[in-house]
Amino acid sequence: HHSEGPHRFQRFERLKQMIWDAGFTIEHCETTVLIPAGPPWFIELGGWIEDRTKNTLMPRIGLRRLFICKRLED
């Protein structure tokens, strides 16, 4: 649940395909925010999990994604 309103989440692989289809390559990708709110100890636990699963679990379950892309040359 997110208080901003309803969301339609895209799968990680779908996001990557959409970027490729738009004519870009991905130079860097990072996924963060496993636990967006709660008591401080719970958020810290989420940060601990994020750090240790940055390239394995987080791309599958993280809530926020950052892509640095480069336009493909024609």
Side-chain angles (χ1 to χ4, degrees), residues 5-42:
H7 296 312
R8 181 174 179 209
F9 292 102
Q10 299 292 328
R11 290 181 178 218
F12 184 62
E13 295 302 322
R14 175 76 176 118
L15 285 172
K16 292 192 313 186
Q17 186 63 50
M18 290 167 67
I19 290 168
W20 180 260
D21 290 346
F24 292 87
T25 60
I26 298 172
E27 299 286 312
H28 176 78
C29 175
E30 191 170 319
T31 306
T32 61
V33 185
L34 177 61
I35 301 172
W41 68 268
F42 195 55

